[in-house]
């Protein structure tokens, strides 16, 4: 393995990170895949052209994360608020999701990637929901990196859903009010059973969280990068890992 020697697979990825650098690799990385629209605008292209390029970056960076030994990757692909975009842009995104999810079933097979979707699937067409289920089912037995694709995901929506489900289970007598604690709340989120993200990367230079993993990111390290997502390279991921590695995480201690 090219970088950290922690992954079972050999990688030909041209990483800039030498193995002896002593870097601390984040276990769980989140990426807010932002800047597709601006990338297209800069080139006088329609926004959907930016989404198409962004999808290519998604594939490259996902594979790369798996190669360097990241255990969990969560990518923010479509928020609960993104439905308010113009109809033709939303339509183009749904079309891209469809073709992408068809490919993904085969695509991530060789990388042993487990594909999961976080978000409210019921907002999508039956065809897309079917493709999401197929991706999840066909990859569930694998033992590589877990890839969470956040689609129709909003962290507030996720928390509201958790509160409703917790209340329902209290009412049914499955749990009692005394059982409710931080761990139980985590267990009712889409990311149940997964470690919180260590590092969240936001390309495109925006300093905001835009409703992504609010609960889970209580002690996450944020790295904002000025590249637009379609321009994001493996070397940018390397740089984010380097920056993360130099941070002093204190969790409220000293
Ligand atoms: C991210 O890129 C993709 C989605 C939100 C679906 P944007 O479309 O938000 O690109 P900008 O931020 O307008 O450049
Ligand atoms: C966040 O980006 C959502 C995704 C990348 C999927 P947005 O472009 O929707 O966020 P804002 O509007 O800049 O906050
Ligand atoms: Mg944006």
């Amino acid at each position: 393995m090219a970088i950290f020697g922690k992954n079972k697979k050999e990688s030909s990825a041209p990483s800039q990170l030498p193995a002896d650098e002593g870097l601390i690799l984040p276990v769980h990385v989140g990426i807010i895949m932002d800047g597709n629209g601006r990338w297209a605008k800069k080139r006088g292209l329609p926004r959907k052209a930016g989404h198409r390029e962004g999808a290519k970056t998604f594939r490259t960076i996902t594979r790369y994360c798996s190669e360097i030994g990241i255990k969990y990757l969560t990518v923010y692909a479509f928020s609960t608020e993104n439905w308010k975009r113009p109809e033709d842009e939303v339509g183009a995104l749904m079309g891209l999701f469809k073709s992408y999810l068809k490919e993904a079933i085969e695509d991530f097979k060789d990388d042993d990637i487990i594909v999961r979707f976080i978000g409210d699937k019921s907002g999508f067409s039956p065809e897309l929901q079917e493709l999401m289920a197929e991706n999840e089912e066909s990859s569930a037995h694998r033992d590589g990196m877990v890839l969470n694709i956040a689609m129709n995901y909003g962290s507030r929506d996720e928390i509201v859903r958790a509160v409703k489900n917790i209340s329902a289970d209290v009412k049914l007598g499955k749990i009692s009010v005394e059982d409710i604690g931080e761990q139980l709340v985590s267990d009712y989120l889409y990311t149940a059973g997964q470690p919180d993200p260590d590092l969240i990367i936001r390309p495109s230079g925006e300093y905001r969280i835009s409703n992504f993993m609010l609960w889970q990111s209580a002690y996450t390290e944020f790295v904002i990068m000025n590249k637009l997502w379609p321009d994001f390279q493996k070397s940018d991921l390397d740089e984010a890992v380097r920056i993360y590695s130099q941070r002093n995480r204190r969790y409220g201690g000293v």
Side-chain angles (χ1 to χ4, degrees), residues 167-239:
S167 312
D169 284 352
V170 168
K171 215 165 151 187
L172 289 168
K174 286 191 189 168
I175 52 168
S176 69
V177 172
E178 288 67 39
D179 293 331
I180 302 172
E182 292 187 11
Q183 186 57 51
L184 184 128
V185 172
S186 294
D187 292 344
Y188 277 77
L189 300 178
Y190 291 121
T191 48
Q194 302 186 7
D196 288 338
D198 301 291
L199 164 67
I200 289 181
I201 304 166
R202 182 159 192 162
S204 93
E206 305 292 1
Y207 283 74
R208 56 176 172 264
I209 188 90
S210 302
N211 207 5
F212 185 56
M213 300 187 105
L214 302 178
W215 173 276
Q216 297 92 330
S217 67
Y219 277 101
T220 299
E221 296 297 324
F222 280 87
V223 173
I224 312 285
M225 302 183 87
N226 266 322
K227 283 262 179 92
L228 301 171
W229 177 245
D231 290 329
F232 197 89
Q233 312 268 317
K234 292 174 186 174
S235 55
D236 296 309
L237 199 283
D238 289 348
E239 192 191 331

Side-chain angles (χ1 to χ4, degrees), residues 77-93:
F78 192 84
S79 76
T80 45
E81 288 74 46
N82 287 147
W83 296 106
K84 59 172 97 137
R85 295 189 177 198
E87 217 178 297
D88 64 330
E89 180 171 348
V90 171
L93 279 163

